[in-house]
Structures are given as structure tokens and as C-alpha cells.
């Protein structure tokens, strides 16, 4: 999973080296980190908008948005 400077999150097929899903994770902001746990099927993204978002890796649905940070979120752990 990679994050982009234009707010997208890309989920990759590492065997075929191609993007299998693109999620507009943080519109208008730069994604500064992604953390994925494929056993649980969740990906967490943080961006310069100060939001943390939790995603269903399989279908790209946003499971939750956490606001409250005034600065970019630079790290998190998915367990």
C-alpha cells in the first residue's frame, strides 16, 4: 500500500506489480503515512489534513475518520 502527494492511497498486487485499487483517501491533502494489516483487512492512512482514516482494504470503504489533530499525522500502528 502506498500513499500519494495528491491524497490517494494505492493498493498493489505485488506479484503482478500493478495497482489493484485506488482510494481517494484525503482529498486535497498529502498522505504522509499508510499502515496495513492484511490479516485484519484494514489500512490506516494519515495526512496533512490532520485526519486519520481507517479503510477496508478489500473493498476500499472508509470505516472511520478520526479528527482532532491540528498537525499532520505521521504514524500509527494497525494491530
Amino acid at each position: 500500500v502506498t500513499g500519494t502527494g495528491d491524497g490517494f492511497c494505492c493498493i498493489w498486487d505485488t506479484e503482478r506489480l500493478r495497482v489493484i485499487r485506488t482510494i481517494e483517501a484525503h482529498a486535497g491533502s498529502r498522505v504522509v503515512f499508510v499502515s496495513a494489516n492484511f490479516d485484519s483487512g484494514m489500512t490506516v492512512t494519515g495526512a496533512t489534513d490532520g485526519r486519520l482514516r481507517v479503510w477496508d482494504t478489500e473493498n476500499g470503504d472508509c470505516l472511520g475518520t478520526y479528527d482532532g489533530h491540528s498537525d499532520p499525522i505521521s504514524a500509527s500502528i494497525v494491530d
Side-chain angles (χ1 to χ4, degrees), residues 36-43 55-58 63 78-79:
N37 182 321
F38 291 100
D39 291 333
S40 70
M42 291 190 304
T43 297
W55 303 92
D56 182 311
T57 305
E58 187 67 29
L63 302 175
V78 178
D79 187 17

Side-chain angles (χ1 to χ4, degrees), residues 1-3 8-12 21 23 25-26 31 33-46 52-66 76-79:
V1 181
T2 57
F8 288 87
C9 178
C10 300
I11 300 170
W12 291 81
R21 177 166 290 100
I23 301 168
H26 297 267
V31 175
F33 90 90
V34 294
S35 181
N37 182 321
F38 291 100
D39 291 333
S40 70
M42 291 190 304
T43 297
V44 176
T45 58
L52 180 81
R53 291 203 167 116
V54 180
W55 303 92
D56 182 311
T57 305
E58 187 67 29
N59 62 26
D61 289 343
C62 182
L63 302 175
T65 299
Y66 302 92
S76 180
I77 295 173
V78 178
D79 187 17

